[in-house]
Amino acid sequence: MSSSVSLNVKLDSNKLFNCKEVINLLLKFGWNIHKDGKITFLPLKDDDMYDWTTSNITLGEFIKLVDEKDYAKEIVGVELYWENTDIGGHLLMFNKSDFSFALNIHTKYIGEKDKIPDFNWYVERIIPYLNLEYHVMEYEFEFIY
């Protein structure tokens, strides 16, 4: 049986912004989308199939893809890693104000034995930086077992 843990965020939608701005903000403050020189993302016209693709595209090419997916009102998805660690997850942007960060890549736990995710670790590395540019209206952790 598998479980999933995610941080779900809702930003104030009154401010004009787009998905690439949120991604660039996270990249500016310690998150990284490159792993071994490649980026893992949801391709254009994925049709909600979540067919993750790994490619050695550049950051510029990826941002262009984000613009295209944003314009087509598709879910924008990318793997993010904290700095130079293996800790990360899948960022899924459903629209310009709602997104989810799945804590599914080498999840940081309070205790390995109990498998309790270290929620504060993730909040400290995401929410304060979003609040620098946007108003975080709400955030919550979702745990499905």
Side-chain angles (χ1 to χ4, degrees):
M1 183 180 287
S2 67
S3 62
S4 68
V5 181
S6 63
L7 168 62
N8 303 323
V9 178
K10 183 173 185 71
L11 301 177
D12 183 353
S13 60
N14 291 330
K15 182 171 178 169
L16 295 175
F17 60 92
N18 54 41
C19 293
K20 75 177 175 187
E21 291 174 6
V22 173
I23 292 169
N24 281 328
L25 183 70
L26 293 172
L27 294 178
K28 178 179 175 183
F29 288 105
W31 290 95
N32 185 6
I33 61 173
H34 287 96
K35 187 69 172 175
D36 300 324
K38 297 180 180 178
I39 300 173
T40 299
F41 57 93
L42 292 177
L44 191 61
K45 298 183 181 166
D46 182 56
D47 296 326
D48 298 340
M49 297 299 295
Y50 298 94
D51 185 21
W52 293 92
T53 301
T54 301
S55 177
N56 58 357
I57 64 173
T58 66
L59 176 61
E61 291 168 325
F62 172 71
I63 293 298
K64 182 179 177 196
L65 172 74
V66 169
D67 280 338
E68 291 171 2
K69 288 183 71 71
D70 207 7
Y71 181 77
K73 298 189 184 335
E74 293 184 18
I75 295 172
V76 172
V78 65
E79 273 188 8
L80 290 173
Y81 296 89
W82 177 249
E83 293 183 339
N84 293 320
T85 71
D86 287 334
I87 300 169
H90 290 113
L91 176 68
L92 295 169
M93 302 192 73
F94 304 106
N95 57 48
K96 296 173 184 175
S97 61
D98 295 314
F99 63 90
S100 181
F101 186 82
L103 316 181
N104 59 354
I105 302 173
H106 298 282
T107 306
K108 181 86 168 156
Y109 294 106
I110 293 172
E112 275 297 320
K113 179 181 163 199
D114 298 324
K115 294 294 185 191
I116 299 170
D118 189 347
F119 299 117
N120 285 338
W121 189 91
Y122 292 93
V123 167
E124 290 170 354
R125 287 160 179 78
I126 296 173
I127 301 302
Y129 303 117
L130 291 173
N131 271 328
L132 289 174
E133 295 291 327
Y134 313 106
H135 173 71
V136 176
M137 292 179 58
E138 63 184 70
Y139 69 90
E140 65 183 5
F141 284 95
E142 180 177 17
F143 178 78
I144 300 172
Y145 184 73

